Amino acid sequence: MNKNKDTSDKNLLEVKNLKTYFHQEEGVVKAVDNISFNIKQAETLGVVGESGCGKSVTSLSIMQLVPQPRGKIESGKILYYQKDSSVPVDITSLSPRGEKIRKIRGNEIAMIFQEPMTSLNPVYTVGEQIMESVRLHQQSRQKEAREKAVEMLRLVGIGSPEQRVDEYPHELSGGMRQRVMIAIALSCNPSLLIADEPTTALDVTIEAQILNLMEDLQKKFNMSIIFITHDLEVIGEMSDRIIVMYTGKIVEKATIEDIFYNNKHPYTAGLLSSIPQIGVEKRLVTIKGSVPDLKHLPAGCNFSPRCPKVMNICHTQEPPDIQISENQFTSCWLYEKRKDDVV
């Protein structure tokens, strides 16, 4: 696990009561529903949960890339502390197409998407795509931008970068394309890197190489990372803290150790129980049922129809956020009930 890393106590990003909804003819999809979290400088924050729980929409909200016109940040704040500034800027107040967000997006906050073949432009060489980012944000000349592109390809471990810089995405392997995506993201030395399932399409050997590369580059650039995945084993290797999401909400926030060895929410426990362990012969425990339709969520706790510890109150009232310890929070009536039972 990712331990003994020097992280600052200063927040780089603060998300407060964020709501991002999609308005469709069938109803309103509450993709992100009143979530709050922070990330510190040089920290890696893991975001985990099943498909459709709101992980990617959270990242798109931070980047002001929520698909419009149906998608909209309804309320909340995303406070980002820019380089050399003690006063944060509220990203939600910036126009998605405005000059202010463009100076932040791709420059100070960069993102690696899940599938590089759909993110890289097939008609431009990989060098041209790195150079575009450098020229846009660093005001570099053509020769300087090309030198930077070669340097970045070398930095991310691509051999013969002077040759590869003139090749097209289809000429590279999946692992090399993902390295190119990392090179583009890091070409402007961002303070925050958002990695949205960056290793999903890769085999385990290449996945390990990419994860090691990201950790090495994080140390080199002293940047923060929001690492989004559905794979708890991967997140256990990468993260300092974890937030667990379910149906657009955060159900648990804690350190890596507490999530794995002292978790409180039944959904977190269910995710961990479904992980196969090498050398251990046991029947895998699955979470019964399926994720509810976000347009027709159940009353009370969204996890109540699937929860093995459900109580009557879970079907009628949404649970509050409860602080378990200094660094652990959960949203579950189990712990409110225990507090009330203390004489």
Side-chain angles (χ1 to χ4, degrees), residues 3 49 63 96 98 133 155 167 210 233 251 253 292 303 316:
K3 296 179 180 178
M63 297 289 286
S133 178
L155 185 66
E167 293 184 352
I210 295 296
E233 287 188 303
V251 297
K253 290 184 284 191
F303 189 60
T316 58

Side-chain angles (χ1 to χ4, degrees), residues 106-177:
N107 185 30
E108 296 195 31
I109 303 178
M111 188 166 179
I112 305 171
F113 293 92
Q114 184 173 1
E115 177 47 63
M117 273 308 284
T118 60
S119 302
L120 294 171
N121 193 320
V123 301
Y124 291 98
T125 66
V126 295
E128 288 172 324
Q129 295 181 64
I130 300 173
M131 290 161 61
E132 179 184 19
S133 178
V134 174
R135 288 198 303 265
L136 176 64
H137 295 295
Q138 305 291 315
Q139 286 79 49
S140 299
R141 295 180 179 179
Q142 179 77 9
K143 182 180 178 181
E144 295 170 338
R146 181 180 174 85
E147 290 173 353
K148 180 71 172 181
V150 172
E151 176 191 341
M152 292 306 303
L153 290 177
R154 183 180 291 111
L155 185 66
V156 298
I158 292 181
S160 305
E162 295 85 357
Q163 172 190 337
R164 298 294 188 183
V165 74
D166 293 318
E167 293 184 352
Y168 292 89
H170 72 270
E171 298 180 273
L172 306 179
S173 67
M176 291 176 70
R177 288 194 294 266

Side-chain angles (χ1 to χ4, degrees), residues 64-94:
Q64 271 286 23
L65 289 174
V66 177
Q68 295 181 330
R70 294 187 182 275
K72 181 184 177 184
I73 297 178
E74 299 286 336
S75 62
K77 294 183 178 181
I78 302 173
L79 303 179
Y80 170 66
Y81 291 84
Q82 293 179 272
K83 295 176 181 178
D84 303 321
S85 175
S86 60
V87 180
V89 58
D90 183 3
I91 291 177
T92 65
S93 68
L94 305 181

Side-chain angles (χ1 to χ4, degrees), residues 178-195:
Q178 196 60 278
R179 288 171 185 266
V180 170
M181 288 295 301
I182 295 174
I184 294 172
L186 299 185
S187 61
C188 297
N189 300 340
S191 300
L192 174 62
L193 176 67
I194 302 174

Side-chain angles (χ1 to χ4, degrees), residues 312-332:
N312 288 335
I313 193 173
C314 304
H315 294 299
T316 58
Q317 297 184 42
E318 184 177 335
D321 288 331
I322 298 168
Q323 184 169 1
I324 303 298
S325 64
E326 181 181 357
N327 295 308
Q328 187 171 18
F329 298 80
T330 191
S331 179
C332 182

Side-chain angles (χ1 to χ4, degrees), residues 34-59:
N34 199 32
I35 69 170
S36 299
F37 65 90
N38 68 296
I39 182 167
K40 299 176 182 178
Q41 291 182 344
E43 180 185 36
T44 299
L45 177 70
V47 184
V48 70
E50 293 173 272
S51 297
C53 71
K55 305 186 301 294
S56 294
V57 176
T58 298
S59 66

